[in-house]
Amino acid sequence: MPTLLNLCTCESRGSTSSSATSTSAPITQSRRHLPWQEIGKYDETIGTWRGTPPQRAETDRDVALKALPAEDDHWDEYDEEHVMTTSSSRVATVDPVTNTYHRMESGLEDDLVTILRARHDTRRIKAQDGPHPYVVEGTPHEHMSDVLWGTDDGSNTRFAVKPSGPTAERTRGEMQLLNNQLSKESRDRFVLVTDEEITKGRVNLARNILHTRKVLNDLDTARVHEALLGMGGHARVWQLAQRLPDLYLSAVYTAVCDLVDKGLIIYDHPKPEDVIFSWASWVRAVKKGKKR
């Protein structure tokens, strides 16, 4: 299960091979940028990186209001946009790559979606997929998956997201029943994830990678990579910043995250999923010549 949430399980988009496994992001870029996107392009006319204007996103599901007003009540679009109800107040995020507005039921689900968005083998994400029927001792039941994750190979993983505890243990048995009903040829599966898999370390690294993709500079990335190789391929992030005093600290940090994203370096820690990536973190260059 933990391998599903590791951010580095695919071929790199920036390198042809590697021999390490880490929590970096996979690099098969399957979800193409929309035509209006010009993320990370440097515009000499304005002396900075070009941004993108706000865009209206499509929702991955419709969420109805808790109650509709009576016919004689005054109602207009402004009122509707500002009504907050139990069913309309949810955690939401926009994926700029697919221009999709995801509505989740909890912050833990949002963290899972953040991790999945950082993976390059992600083809599709959908909140609240189902219902999926199953039978227990002759009694029919239905399960609503919290997050559907579709990948480039055509498989779909349906996650149940629960905090650790008795509820998660009950849901684990439900996942087993649902998986038992799948055909042997199916590549789909039902999986339970908790805060033990959706760790702060994984979520933090995923957020850094997603931000880096918007502001990266290929020249800075190349310089930081060269500097790391010149230091024996193993250094702390702040040591790389000292090595390149003409670069802003933020530029060095962005370049390091880009290298992690491209699979050229790894976050070198015994348990990287449990520790927040920072300036004090060790990074190691990935050896070339071997396939992952």
Side-chain angles (χ1 to χ4, degrees), residues 9-75:
T9 57
C10 306
E11 292 297 326
S12 296
R13 60 180 166 91
S15 61
T16 57
S17 61
S18 64
S19 61
T21 301
S22 74
T23 56
S24 59
I27 318 296
T28 53
Q29 186 148 348
S30 59
R31 298 181 299 164
R32 304 300 179 187
H33 287 303
L34 299 177
W36 52 264
Q37 287 183 304
E38 294 180 313
I39 294 174
K41 291 186 177 180
Y42 189 82
D43 191 337
E44 295 182 355
T45 62
I46 60 176
T48 186
W49 287 269
R50 188 183 305 168
T52 57
Q55 299 290 326
R56 183 181 180 90
E58 299 294 331
T59 59
D60 62 349
R61 64 187 178 111
D62 293 328
V63 179
L65 293 174
K66 185 176 182 181
L68 295 176
E71 293 182 358
D72 56 347
D73 287 346
H74 174 70
W75 190 258

Side-chain angles (χ1 to χ4, degrees), residues 177-250:
L177 290 170
L178 288 163
N179 283 319
N180 289 343
Q181 295 183 168
L182 296 175
S183 66
K184 294 182 179 179
E185 294 76 21
S186 176
R187 288 183 294 178
D188 297 350
R189 53 180 163 169
F190 292 85
V191 176
L192 168 69
V193 290
T194 69
D195 46 278
E196 294 181 1
E197 290 82 27
I198 308 173
T199 62
K200 291 183 178 180
R202 286 189 173 118
V203 176
N204 172 264
L205 185 57
R207 286 174 178 163
N208 281 330
I209 287 172
L210 291 173
H211 173 72
T212 294
R213 292 174 187 170
K214 300 177 183 179
V215 299
L216 65 87
N217 182 299
D218 288 332
L219 294 178
D220 291 348
T221 299
R223 288 189 61 194
V224 171
H225 189 217
E226 183 179 356
L228 178 62
L229 295 177
M231 299 171 68
H234 192 221
R236 293 183 185 269
V237 177
W238 64 265
Q239 291 174 329
L240 290 169
Q242 284 189 334
R243 184 95 170 188
L244 300 167
D246 59 313
L247 290 182
Y248 288 113
L249 296 179
S250 58

Side-chain angles (χ1 to χ4, degrees), residues 63-69 75 79-91 105:
V63 179
L65 293 174
K66 185 176 182 181
L68 295 176
W75 190 258
D79 292 332
E80 183 175 0
E81 289 178 356
H82 289 76
V83 170
M84 298 298 291
T85 70
T86 302
S87 57
S88 64
S89 181
R90 285 177 167 82
V91 181
E105 301 291 328

Side-chain angles (χ1 to χ4, degrees), residues 144-158:
M144 184 69 73
S145 297
D146 294 315
V147 176
L148 166 67
W149 175 47
T151 58
D152 288 340
D153 62 5
S155 64
N156 293 302
T157 302
R158 292 174 172 87

